[in-house]
């Protein structure tokens, strides 16, 4: 059986006719795969043998006649049927037509007629099938094209192998702005901005697509009108059945909005960091302006209200450094405009933002800005302009002007929203800076008060001390020996000394805070000094129940400020007495590496780890003020004076086991601090 | 002038000035007082010749520096020794400018004051 011989099936209930027909068919070059006598058998055999054609007798004995059997077969398989009939009555032919037969043979027929009917039927069937396939293919292609066409969100189109645009869809028209007839046949590099073309980007994309099977990219692309959009692009090579390059499929999405949001968020983040970085307002705004240009604007002006309620420039920037001075000058003249009818003054007066997306001519631009002559704009460039108020708590603090020098990037509503947000943050920063300035002013006033107050306290205190001193001497001279009187006088003197010490602490702190510590350096024996100070504090230690053990073998010679070093040592020992819990206190000295070390150790309550860093601060103590009096200035002063000598104070402590403070001072000051008279007003 | 050693106390604070003056009188000194540098100059130019001047620095009208400058310009009084009596730390440079014989830093005890005054000899 050769494949070219057609397989036929015979459906004929008259056996002789069937056998005769089979012989004839074989003789004229067909195979007969089956010969059956009823409609049911025909259906069964046909599904089994898949003949190329069925010769079907219309009149069959059994449940189904030929036409009915053909009807069933037609629903199950695609096989041409040629009817055999002896009678061609009207009704039968009509019924037969309903089953779209491929031919009729009216009995009796000869070989030639048989062959012709079969060949015509086979040919017709083949042709019908091909037509149907073609139609289906065409319909699928049309449906696909329809679908691609109506996709609005993506530009989907084909490039030929050299990159010329071959198809175009609605999304492409919408995103890129070209109509199909304008773009078909043009090279796709038209979509790329000049800087990308200069970098050979379009060709690289096609090369990459060929090499890797696809190329994906995000970047700025150009619309027909010259504006830019942020595109996400996928290019895929299209190969035909033989693997030859047919072209490239390109799918482009417009991501401008999400890009804008991302950029705005990241820009605002950077601007906010810059605004928070420094409390020095003008420096901060300068920094923000550096971020604004060139990202958001080609040039930019920031003007803030001054004490007199008028605007003055605090920052100006231009993308071209050579033009920055001109921008600055122009900005200054703009805010000097008398009326608030135009430009920054108008926005400042009304608190309403202005947006001019596209400024067609500079005369108009000059008018918008409130300029008399457009000349400076020719150099600076002006295409798009917005000006927003810098506000905080409903007060307008200034204005922010953002300008684009040239097409195509114009400001739109989203840019305005962004500028308002930026201005809001600048407003917040300004408010912070004001608050900081107020706080700093308050601190300065407090320090000044402290200094004046302690000075003012000093003079009467000294008078009091001298008077008590005189009184003692007078009693001595008069030869009065009254125990009670002497005790009272001693108490008065010691309380005055204590008061004087507190006043001195306050004064020291105010001097330290103002950076006005002037050391009076002189050669000293520090061992002697430590012994003297310890001796002076022995009575206090005894009162607290602490033994004060001093190991200070001298001499330890160096150059220091006697009073300040005395104060350091005295403060550390007093501290140990105060917090020593009545346990022994050790003071020892040593010399090492050109430095003297004085260590004061107690075995008292110690200092909690978290308080260690804090205790050297002003007015700090590790424990409650209720149980331990004093101003909490001792350690602060000790550290500051040690540092003024180029030394340091450190502490090691274990809660419950005691603390050990060590002061280290260089034997010779590293550089002799000599300052001018630097005290406050007279006392 | 008597043979007792004499002192001119120049300080703008009345109570302090009088307290120091009293104590020095009790110690046997002859004491004159002035509330500022201008008044002190007036006394000196009127012929007062103390052995020592105890000089405050911060004063109204004419302060310690101003007084010192005037004093040194006038040969008739330039040689009177001066003890600068101050509440402030004085830098070396500033002390140099004052050309003072001694510096006393407030607060002081009477015995330090007496010892210092006793050590200063006229013409030194």
């Amino acid at each position: 059986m050769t494949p070219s011989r057609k397989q036929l099936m015979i459906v004929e209930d008259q056996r002789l006719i069937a056998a005769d027909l089979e012989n004839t068919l074989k003789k004229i070059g067909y195979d007969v795969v089956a010969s059956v006598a009823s409609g049911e058998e025909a259906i069964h055999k046909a599904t089994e043998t898949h003949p190329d054609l069925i010769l079907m007798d219309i009149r069959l004995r059994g449940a189904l006649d030929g036409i009915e059997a053909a009807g069933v077969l037609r629903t199950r398989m695609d096989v041409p049927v040629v009817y055999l009939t002896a009678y061609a009555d009207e009704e039968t032919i009509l019924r037969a037509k309903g089953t779209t037969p491929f031919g009729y043979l009216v009995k009796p027929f000869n070989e030639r007629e048989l062959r012709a009917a079969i060949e015509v039927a086979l040919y017709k069937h083949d042709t019908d099938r091909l037509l149907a396939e073609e139609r289906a293919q065409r319909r699928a292609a049309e449906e696909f094209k329809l679908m691609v066409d109506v996709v609005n969100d993506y530009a989907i189109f084909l490039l030929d192998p050299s990159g010329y645009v071959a198809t175009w869809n609605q999304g492409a028209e919408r995103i890129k702005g070209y109509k199909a007839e304008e773009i078909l046949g043009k090279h796709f590099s038209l979509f790329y901005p000049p800087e990308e073309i200069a970098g050979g980007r379009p060709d690289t994309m096609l090369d990459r697509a060929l090499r890797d099977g696809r190329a994906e990219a995000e970047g700025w692309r150009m619309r027909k009108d010259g504006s830019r959009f942020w595109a996400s692009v996928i290019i895929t090579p299209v190969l035909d059945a033989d693997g030859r390059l047919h072209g490239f499929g390109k799918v482009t999405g417009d991501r401008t909005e999400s890009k804008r949001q991302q950029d705005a968020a990241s820009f605002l983040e950077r601007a906010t960091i810059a605004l928070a970085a420094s409390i020095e307002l003008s420096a901060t705004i300068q920094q923000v302006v550096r971020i604004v240009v060139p990202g958001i604007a080609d040039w930019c002006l920031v003007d803030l209200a001054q004490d007199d309620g008028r605007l003055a420039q605090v920052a100006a920037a231009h993308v071209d450094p050579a033009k920055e001075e001109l921008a600055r000058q122009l900005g200054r003249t703009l805010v000097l405009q008398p009326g608030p009818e135009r430009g920054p003054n108008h926005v400042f007066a009304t608190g309403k933002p202005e947006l001019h997306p596209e400024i067609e001519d500079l005369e108009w631009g000059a008018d918008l800005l409130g300029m008399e002559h457009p000349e400076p704009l020719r150099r600076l460039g002006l295409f798009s302009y917005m000006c927003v108020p810098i506000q905080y708590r409903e007060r307008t603090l200034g204005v922010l002007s953002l300008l684009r020098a040239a097409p195509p990037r114009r400001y739109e509503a989203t840019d305005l929203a962004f500028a308002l947000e930026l201005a809001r943050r600048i407003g917040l920063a300004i408010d912070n800076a004001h608050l900081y300035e107020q706080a700093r002013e308050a601190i300065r006033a407090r320090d000044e008060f402290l200094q004046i107050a302690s000075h003012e306290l000093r003079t009467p205190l000294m008078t009091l001390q001298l008077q008590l001193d005189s009184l003692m001497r007078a009693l001595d001279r008069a030869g009065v020996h009254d125990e009670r009187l002497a005790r009272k006088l001693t108490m008065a003197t010691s309380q005055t000394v204590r008061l004087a010490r507190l006043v001195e602490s306050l004064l020291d702190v105010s001097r330290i805070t103002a950076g006005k510590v002037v050391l009076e350096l002189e050669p000293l024996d520090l061992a002697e000094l430590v012994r003297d100070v310890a001796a002076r504090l022995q009575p206090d230690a005894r009162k607290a129940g602490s033994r004060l053990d001093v190991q200070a073998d001298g001499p330890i010679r160096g150059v220091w400020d006697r009073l300040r070093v005395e104060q350091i040592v005295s403060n550390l020992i007093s501290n140990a007495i105060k917090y020593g819990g009545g346990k022994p206190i050790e003071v020892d000295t040593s010399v090492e590496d050109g430095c003297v070390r004085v260590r004061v150790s107690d075995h008292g309550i110690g200092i909690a780890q978290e308080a260690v860093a804090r205790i050297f601060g002003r007015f700090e103590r590790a424990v409650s003020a209720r149980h331990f009096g004093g101003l909490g200035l001792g350690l602060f002063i000790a550290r500051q004076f040690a540092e003024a000598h180029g030394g340091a104070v450190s502490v090691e402590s274990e809660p419950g086991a005691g603390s050990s403070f060590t002061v280290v001072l260089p034997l010779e000051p590293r550089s002799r601090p000599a300052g001018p008279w630097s005290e406050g007003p007279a006392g | 002038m008597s043979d007792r050693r004499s002192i001119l106390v120049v300080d703008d604070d009345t109570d302090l000035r009088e307290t120091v003056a009293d104590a020095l009188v009790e110690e046997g000194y002859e004491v004159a007082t002035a509330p500022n540098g201008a008044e002190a100059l007036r006394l000196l130019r009127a012929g007062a010749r103390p052995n020592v001047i105890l000089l405050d620095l911060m004063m109204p009208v004419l302060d310690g520096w101003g007084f010192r400058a005037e004093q040194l310009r006038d040969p008739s009084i330039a040689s009177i020794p001066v003890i600068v009596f101050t509440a402030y730390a004085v830098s070396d440079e500033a002390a140099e400018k004052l050309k003072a014989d001694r510096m006393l830093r407030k607060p002081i005890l009477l015995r330090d004051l007496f010892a210092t005054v006793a050590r200063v000899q006229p013409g030194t």
Side-chain angles (χ1 to χ4, degrees):
Chain A
M1 192 162 63
T2 62
S4 61
R5 284 171 78 98
K6 296 289 176 187
Q7 321 271 304
L8 307 188
M9 189 171 94
I10 300 164
V11 187
E12 176 57 73
D13 58 354
Q14 291 180 331
R15 228 162 264 219
L16 284 177
I17 295 178
D20 183 42
L21 187 54
E22 188 172 339
N23 281 334
T24 313
L25 288 173
K26 284 177 177 164
K27 202 173 89 194
I28 57 176
Y30 301 102
D31 281 343
V32 176
V33 288
S35 179
V36 297
S38 73
E40 294 86 340
E41 268 182 297
I43 292 164
H44 177 69
K45 273 285 176 202
T47 42
E48 202 179 279
T49 57
H50 290 281
D52 294 313
L53 183 137
I54 299 173
L55 291 168
M56 175 83 77
D57 185 16
I58 289 178
R59 295 261 169 106
L60 291 173
R61 278 187 294 266
L64 297 172
D65 72 1
I67 293 170
E68 284 162 340
V72 174
L73 274 171
R74 208 176 131 255
T75 64
R76 297 204 182 165
M77 57 199 295
D78 178 30
V79 60
V81 175
V82 174
Y83 289 117
L84 309 174
T85 179
Y87 316 97
D89 62 283
E90 216 37 45
E91 192 203 351
T92 307
I93 286 177
L94 265 177
R95 274 184 63 222
K97 266 187 182 167
T99 60
T100 55
F102 284 79
Y104 300 91
L105 276 172
V106 181
K107 296 173 188 172
F109 44 81
N110 60 29
E111 260 180 47
R112 206 169 49 84
E113 285 165 339
L114 176 64
R115 188 183 190 144
I118 289 172
E119 285 305 313
V120 166
L122 283 174
Y123 175 77
K124 188 166 177 273
H125 181 251
D126 274 355
T127 316
D128 282 359
R129 201 179 53 221
L130 280 174
L131 276 173
E133 273 173 19
E134 220 177 272
R135 220 174 14 244
Q137 266 178 15
R138 206 165 43 232
R139 198 167 54 234
E142 268 167 15
E143 276 167 1
F144 183 74
K145 187 176 179 301
L146 269 174
M147 183 196 78
V148 168
D149 273 351
V150 299
V151 167
N152 222 350
D153 296 329
Y154 290 91
I156 303 174
F157 54 97
L158 280 169
L159 304 177
D160 75 7
S162 318
Y164 290 90
V165 178
T167 70
W168 202 240
N169 77 337
Q170 262 185 43
E173 181 178 331
R174 188 186 64 82
I175 293 176
K176 293 178 189 283
Y178 294 98
K179 292 200 176 303
E181 59 270 25
E182 294 169 324
I183 196 68
L184 290 175
K186 301 265 169 57
H187 195 260
F188 85 116
S189 59
L190 210 61
F191 308 137
Y192 286 76
E195 67 271 15
E196 295 260 30
I197 291 171
R201 183 78 172 170
D203 291 338
T204 323
M205 283 292 285
L206 296 188
D207 291 347
R208 258 176 47 202
L210 272 179
R211 193 191 62 209
D212 303 336
R214 74 193 245 115
E216 206 171 330
E218 285 210 345
W220 290 111
R221 297 291 182 270
M222 309 287 286
R223 296 195 184 95
K224 183 191 170 193
D225 65 5
S227 64
R228 291 173 182 224
F229 67 100
W230 185 260
S232 89
V233 182
I234 299 174
I235 298 185
T236 320
V238 178
L239 307 177
D240 66 17
D242 304 325
R244 276 193 309 262
L245 182 66
H246 177 76
F248 296 91
K250 196 162 180 254
V251 180
T252 302
D254 183 347
R255 297 270 173 277
T256 311
E257 193 46 43
S258 70
K259 166 81 174 161
R260 202 199 300 268
Q261 279 168 13
Q262 249 172 40
D263 282 357
S266 98
F267 174 84
L268 280 175
E269 194 181 333
R270 277 189 297 149
T272 307
I273 290 168
L275 283 168
S278 162
I279 208 74
E280 213 57 65
L281 191 63
S282 66
T284 302
I285 292 181
Q286 282 292 347
Q287 270 203 327
V288 171
V289 161
R290 293 280 159 233
I291 302 174
V292 168
V293 174
I296 309 294
D298 293 324
W299 50 297
C300 159
L301 305 168
V302 181
D303 307 294
L304 292 184
Q306 303 301 300
D307 292 338
D308 63 2
R310 295 160 69 133
L311 284 181
Q313 186 175 81
V314 292
H318 195 285
V319 67
D320 179 353
K323 294 177 181 166
E324 194 151 294
E325 187 50 39
L326 184 62
R328 189 167 292 134
Q329 281 171 15
L330 172 66
R332 289 212 188 97
T333 43
L334 286 187
V335 295
L336 286 181
Q337 294 305 308
E341 293 84 15
R342 299 255 187 300
N345 275 328
H346 183 246
V347 172
F348 180 58
T350 60
K352 296 218 161 49
E354 275 181 24
L355 169 65
H356 298 284
E358 202 167 323
I359 292 167
E360 282 134 24
D361 72 276
L362 294 180
E363 295 277 347
W364 180 39
D367 192 47
L368 280 176
L369 289 171
M371 297 164 65
E372 283 181 27
H373 304 291
E375 279 321 307
L377 294 181
R378 272 187 231 297
R379 286 201 57 212
L380 294 168
L382 178 61
F383 169 69
S384 193
Y385 160 70
M386 58 183 170
C387 183
V388 295
I390 295 169
Q391 289 171 319
Y392 194 71
R393 296 187 195 163
E394 289 164 14
R395 237 158 38 84
T396 303
L397 308 171
V399 295
L400 167 68
S401 311
L402 299 173
L403 306 97
R404 286 274 187 214
R409 295 174 71 181
R410 63 172 66 76
Y411 291 128
E412 291 160 17
T414 46
D415 298 302
L416 186 69
F418 167 80
L420 282 166
E421 177 59 22
L422 176 62
R424 195 185 67 79
R425 294 188 190 207
I426 293 175
L428 185 65
I430 291 171
D431 193 64
N432 281 341
H434 284 329
L435 286 179
Y436 175 76
E437 198 49 54
Q438 280 166 13
R440 205 161 58 170
E441 181 53 34
I443 288 171
R444 202 195 55 74
R446 187 201 62 192
D447 285 344
E448 194 179 301
F449 169 78
L450 210 57
Q451 196 169 7
I452 293 169
S454 44
H455 259 116
E456 289 295 324
L457 289 170
R458 231 173 169 204
T459 308
L461 250 180
M462 190 163 89
T463 308
L464 189 59
Q465 265 181 301
L466 289 176
Q467 287 291 5
L468 286 170
D469 209 355
S470 276
L471 206 50
M472 295 265 249
R473 282 165 178 271
L475 282 178
D476 268 356
R477 255 199 310 275
V480 177
H481 296 291
D482 184 322
E483 275 294 319
R484 282 181 58 215
L485 197 58
R487 218 174 39 243
K488 283 174 192 294
L489 262 180
T490 307
M491 175 63 84
T493 306
S494 79
Q495 291 307 305
T496 317
V497 168
R498 197 174 142 200
L499 188 55
R501 243 185 245 146
L502 291 173
V503 170
E504 286 306 307
S505 295
L506 279 179
L507 193 55
D508 282 333
V509 170
S510 67
R511 267 195 289 247
I512 289 165
T513 311
K516 289 175 176 173
V517 175
V518 180
L519 297 181
E520 275 189 275
L521 297 171
E522 58 180 309
L524 296 175
D525 175 359
L526 196 114
E528 189 190 353
L529 182 149
V530 170
R531 288 196 302 269
D532 286 352
V533 172
R536 271 213 297 277
L537 292 170
Q538 275 295 356
D540 291 350
R542 257 199 305 280
K543 222 185 279 176
S546 287
R547 200 176 69 237
L548 190 57
D549 294 329
V550 182
Q551 283 217 315
D553 300 328
I556 300 170
R557 298 202 187 283
V559 178
W560 299 289
D561 180 320
R562 176 189 292 278
L563 290 179
R564 265 62 190 260
V565 175
E566 273 182 14
Q567 233 174 315
I568 298 171
V569 176
S570 162
N571 286 355
L572 294 185
I573 297 177
S574 298
N575 205 60
I577 293 171
K578 200 165 174 181
Y579 299 107
K583 305 213 175 72
I585 294 161
E586 293 100 38
V587 180
D588 62 82
T589 59
S590 60
V591 177
E592 213 176 285
D593 299 334
C595 288
V596 61
R597 244 165 254 272
V598 181
R599 195 172 59 202
V600 180
S601 308
D602 67 58
H603 303 282
I605 57 172
I607 304 160
Q609 201 54 46
E610 62 272 18
V612 166
R614 200 157 52 78
I615 54 170
F616 291 104
R618 262 202 291 185
F619 307 111
E620 287 289 356
R621 57 168 62 72
V623 291
S624 80
R626 212 145 45 82
H627 295 103
F628 297 87
L631 299 178
L633 295 171
L635 292 177
F636 172 70
I637 291 169
R639 167 173 272 190
Q640 297 294 326
F641 283 170
E643 285 174 0
H645 280 89
V649 181
S650 58
V651 61
E652 283 170 42
S653 184
E654 206 180 303
S659 309
S660 181
F661 286 86
T662 306
V663 53
V664 178
L665 299 173
L667 295 176
E668 297 275 346
R670 277 172 197 126
S671 66
R672 229 177 130 78
W677 277 75
S678 51
E679 296 289 334
Chain B
M1 255 197 202
S2 73
D3 55 349
R4 283 198 297 162
R5 283 167 59 81
S6 59
I7 298 183
L8 172 59
V9 179
V10 192
D11 197 312
D12 63 325
D13 188 276
T14 312
D15 289 345
L16 182 59
R17 190 173 67 238
E18 295 309 327
T19 300
V20 169
D22 280 356
L24 287 167
V25 168
E26 280 162 21
E27 198 63 15
Y29 289 90
E30 188 176 304
V31 180
T33 62
N36 58 55
E39 186 60 24
L41 274 179
R42 200 188 60 73
L43 285 176
L44 293 172
R45 281 178 181 150
R49 287 296 177 271
N51 300 109
V52 180
I53 298 169
L54 195 56
L55 179 69
D56 187 20
L57 285 178
M58 293 288 201
M59 289 180 294
V61 188
L62 182 65
D63 66 14
W65 293 274
F67 169 81
R68 209 40 200 148
E70 289 292 319
Q71 187 204 354
L72 290 172
R73 250 206 302 274
D74 185 341
S76 64
I77 54 172
S79 64
I80 304 173
V82 167
I83 298 171
V84 166
F85 179 52
T86 175
Y88 311 102
V90 182
S91 71
D92 293 342
E93 230 174 307
E96 185 68 26
K97 219 186 270 174
L98 278 164
K99 294 194 177 72
D101 295 80
R102 284 282 190 281
M103 304 286 283
L104 263 183
R105 216 162 91 173
K106 296 176 184 175
I108 50 159
L109 292 173
L110 283 180
R111 64 162 188 273
D112 299 330
L113 174 64
F114 298 149
T116 308
V117 170
R119 266 199 301 265
V120 175
Q121 298 299 318
T124 56

